[in-house]
C-alpha cells in the first residue's frame, strides 16, 4: 500500500531531516573538538584516552542493536525526539566531568550517553532521509550527510574560538546541549515519512536482515569507511598537536579542515554519483582517502600535512551516506537493514579509538593513523555491493 505525501510536506520533511543531521553533527563534533582539553584536564595517556573514547562508541553500538526495532515501532519522528534529549544529557554530563572537579568516570558516562543518543538518532534520521530521497526521486542522501558535516564545521570553529578564549569546557558543552535539544525537537515535527512502507508488515525484519549477505557486506564496507572518518574525528587534532607540534587551537583548526572538505565532497559528490554511479565514485573516493592520510603522516611541511588532511576529508565524504542509501534500497526493509549496517559500521568506533591509542603508545599517534590506508585498500573489493538493487 503506497501513501502519497504532498510535495510541500516532502520539502518540509527534507528541511527537518537536514536540520537534524546538522545538529547531530554539532553535538558530536563539539565533543571531538574538545578531546585535547579533556585529555589535559583528566591527565590521560594516549592509551587511556583511547579507552575513554571507547565509552562513546559503546553507547552508539548498543543503540544500534535496537535502533531498527525502536524506529519501526516509534517511527522516526518520536525516535529522533527521544534521541535529542539523550544527546543533550550526554553533553551536559561530559561537560561537568571535565569541569572544576575533573572525573574520568563522569566524562565516560556522559560520552556513553551522547553516543547512545547519537546512534539512535543516526538510524532514525537515515530512514527518514532515505524516504525523502525516494520521494524526491534524485540523489540527496550525501547532502543530508553534508549538513552533518556543516554542523561539525560550525562546531569545530566554535571549539577553536572557545579554546583560544579559554572558555570553560563545561559552559561550552552546556550551551551546545541546549541548542541541540531544542533545535532537534522542532525539526522532528516536520517528519512525514513514518516508516509507511513498513506499517503494513508484520515486523521490522531485523533478524532476517542479519542473514542477508549483501546487507552484511555493505555493513563491512561501511565499517571500514566509518573507521576512516572516525579516526580523523577522534585523533587528527591530537595527532597534529603531538606529531607536528601544532598549538591546541590549531589542532582544532586541522579538524575543521577535515570536516570542511568532507562537507564539500558531500555537497558536490552527488554530481559524481549521478554521473558515474555508486561503485565508481566510491572507488575513487577511497583511494583519495588512503592517499590523504599517507600525506598527512609523512609530510615534513605543515602546509602539505594539512593538505593531506583536506584530501582525506574529501575522500571520506561519500562512503557512509552511500552505504546508508544502499542499505535502504528497499523501503519495506529500510529500517532493519540500516540498523544492521549501522551496527556493523559503528563497530569501527568501538575498535578505532583504542586501536589508534595503543598504536600511539608504540609509534606515536601520528604514525598510528597509517592503519587507515592499511584497511581501506583491501576494502575496495567490497565496493560492488553498493550497486542499486530492487527487491
Amino acid at each position: 500500500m503506497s501513501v502519497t505525501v504532498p510535495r510541500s510536506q516532502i520539502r518540509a520533511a527534507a528541511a527537518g531531516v537536514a536540520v537534524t543531521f546538522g545538529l547531530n553533527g554539532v553535538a558530536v563534533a563539539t565533543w571531538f573538538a574538545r578531546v585535547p582539553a579533556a585529555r589535559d584536564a583528566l591527565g590521560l595517556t594516549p592509551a587511556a584516552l583511547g579507552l575513554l573514547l571507547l565509552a562513546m562508541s559503546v553507547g552508539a553500538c548498543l543503540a544500534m542493536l535496537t535502533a531498527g526495532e525502536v524506529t519501526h515501532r516509534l517511527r522516526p519522528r518520536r525516535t529522533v525526539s527521544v534521541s535529542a534529549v539523550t544527546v543533550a544529557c550526554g553533553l551536559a554530563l561530559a561537560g561537568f566531568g571535565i569541569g572544576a572537579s575533573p572525573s574520568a568516570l563522569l566524562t565516560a558516562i556522559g560520552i556513553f550517553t551522547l553516543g547512545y543518543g547519537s546512534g539512535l538518532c543516526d538510524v532514525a534520521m537515515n530512514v527518514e532521509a532515505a524516504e525523502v530521497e525516494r520521494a524526491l526521486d534524485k540523489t540527496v542522501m550525501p547532502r543530508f550527510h553534508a549538513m552533518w558535516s556543516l554542523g561539525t564545521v560550525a562546531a569545530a570553529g566554535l571549539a577553536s574560538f572557545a579554546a583560544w578564549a579559554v572558555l570553560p569546557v563545561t559552559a561550552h558543552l552546556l550551551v551546545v546541549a541546549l541548542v541541540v535539544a531544542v533545535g532537534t525537537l522542532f525539526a522532528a515535527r516536520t517528519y512525514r515519512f513514518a516508516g509507511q512502507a513498513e506499517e503494513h508488515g508484520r515486523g521490522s525484519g531485523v533478524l532476517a536482515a542479519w542473514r542477508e549477505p549483501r546487507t552484511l557486506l555493505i555493513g563491512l564496507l561501511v565499517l571500514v569507511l566509518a573507521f576512516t572518518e572516525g579516526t580523523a574525528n577522534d585523533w587528527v587534532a591530537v595527532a597534529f598537536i603531538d606529531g607536528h607540534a601544532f598549538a591546541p587551537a590549531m589542532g582544532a583548526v586541522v579538524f575543521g579542515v577535515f570536516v570542511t572538505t568532507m562537507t564539500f565532497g558531500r555537497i558536490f559528490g552527488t554530481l559524481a554519483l549521478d554521473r558515474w554511479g555508486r561503485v565508481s565514485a566510491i572507488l575513487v573516493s577511497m583511494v583519495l582517502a588512503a592517499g590523504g592520510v599517507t600525506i598527512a603522516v609523512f609530510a615534513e611541511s605543515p602546509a602539505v600535512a594539512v593538505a593531506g588532511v583536506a584530501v582525506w576529508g574529501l575522500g571520506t565524504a561519500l562512503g557512509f551516506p552511500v552505504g546508508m542509501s544502499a542499505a535502504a534500497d528497499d523501503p519495506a526493509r529500510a529500517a532493519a537493514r540500516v540498523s544492521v549496517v549501522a551496527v556493523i559500521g559503528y563497530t569501527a568506533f568501538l575498535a578505532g579509538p583504542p586501536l589508534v591509542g595503543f598504536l600511539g603508545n608504540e609509534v606515536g599517534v601520528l604514525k598510528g593513523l597509517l592503519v587507515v590506508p592499511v584497511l581501506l585498500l583491501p576494502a575496495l573489493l567490497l565496493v560492488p555491493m553498493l550497486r542499486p538493487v530492487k527487491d
Side-chain angles (χ1 to χ4, degrees):
M1 176 177 176
S2 62
V3 178
T4 302
V5 178
R7 196 74 178 176
S8 61
Q9 292 188 11
I10 296 174
R11 289 195 294 267
V17 169
V19 171
T20 303
F21 270 88
L23 290 176
N24 189 264
V26 167
V28 172
T30 295
W31 160 249
F32 286 142
R34 300 315 299 261
V35 165
R39 179 192 63 174
D40 294 342
L42 300 172
L44 302 175
T45 65
L49 179 58
L51 290 175
L52 176 67
L53 295 173
L54 186 61
M56 181 173 176
S57 303
V58 170
C61 287
L62 287 177
M64 296 293 179
L65 289 172
T66 55
E69 187 65 31
V70 170
T71 301
H72 173 71
R73 293 183 180 276
L74 296 184
R75 307 305 186 222
R77 181 190 300 181
R78 292 195 196 99
T79 305
V80 164
S81 298
V82 170
S83 73
V85 176
T86 307
V87 164
C89 290
L91 276 174
L93 288 172
F96 286 119
I98 312 171
S101 299
S103 167
L105 177 60
L106 184 58
T107 303
I109 293 171
I111 62 174
F112 171 88
T113 306
L114 169 61
Y116 189 91
S118 180
L120 196 62
C121 185
D122 202 321
V123 170
M125 68 186 182
N126 272 289
V127 169
E128 181 79 4
E131 291 285 2
V132 169
E133 182 177 60
R134 194 171 293 107
L136 292 172
D137 195 27
K138 62 180 180 180
T139 304
V140 293
M141 181 70 85
R143 293 183 179 177
F144 289 133
H145 284 257
M147 287 301 299
W148 191 92
S149 300
L150 283 172
T152 65
V153 170
L158 289 173
S160 181
F161 173 78
W164 173 80
V166 199
L167 182 71
V169 177
T170 303
H172 179 201
L173 297 189
L174 284 175
V175 170
V176 172
L178 180 62
V179 171
V180 168
V182 174
T184 305
L185 288 171
F186 274 100
R189 297 177 64 181
T190 67
Y191 283 27
R192 288 294 178 269
F193 297 95
Q196 291 156 348
E198 297 179 89
E199 283 184 323
H200 306 282
R202 291 180 293 179
S204 63
V206 174
L207 292 179
W210 278 103
R211 297 191 293 269
E212 298 170 350
R214 177 178 180 266
T215 300
L216 296 177
L217 290 173
I218 290 173
L220 184 59
L221 177 61
V222 169
L223 184 155
V224 175
L225 298 172
F227 181 84
T228 302
E229 179 180 341
T231 298
N233 289 334
D234 284 334
W235 290 107
V236 73
V238 173
F240 270 67
I241 290 169
D242 292 353
H244 287 304
F246 278 36
M250 287 304 298
V253 169
V254 174
F255 172 64
V257 169
F258 173 82
V259 294
T260 298
T261 56
M262 185 169 64
T263 303
F264 178 88
R266 285 176 172 172
I267 292 173
F268 295 101
T270 55
L271 302 176
L273 287 167
D274 286 338
R275 182 167 183 176
W276 294 302
R278 291 174 181 172
V279 173
S280 297
I282 298 303
L283 284 172
V284 171
S285 68
M286 289 172 68
V287 171
L288 284 175
V293 177
T294 305
I295 292 170
V297 172
F298 288 113
E300 296 184 1
S301 163
V304 175
V306 173
V309 172
V311 175
W312 182 1
L314 188 64
T316 305
L318 296 177
F320 200 90
V322 169
M324 293 297 105
S325 284
D329 275 344
D330 176 13
R333 302 177 184 177
R337 288 174 175 168
V338 168
S339 177
V340 169
V341 168
V343 169
I344 299 171
Y346 269 73
T347 304
F349 300 132
L350 279 174
L355 175 58
V356 178
F358 287 126
L359 287 173
N361 272 1
E362 299 298 322
V363 299
V365 173
L366 185 64
K367 288 187 177 178
L369 299 179
L370 290 173
V371 69
V372 171
V374 169
L375 293 176
L376 274 173
L377 296 179
L380 292 171
L381 297 174
L382 298 173
V383 176
M385 293 297 104
L386 297 176
R387 285 194 181 95
V389 296
K390 301 295 183 182
D391 289 351

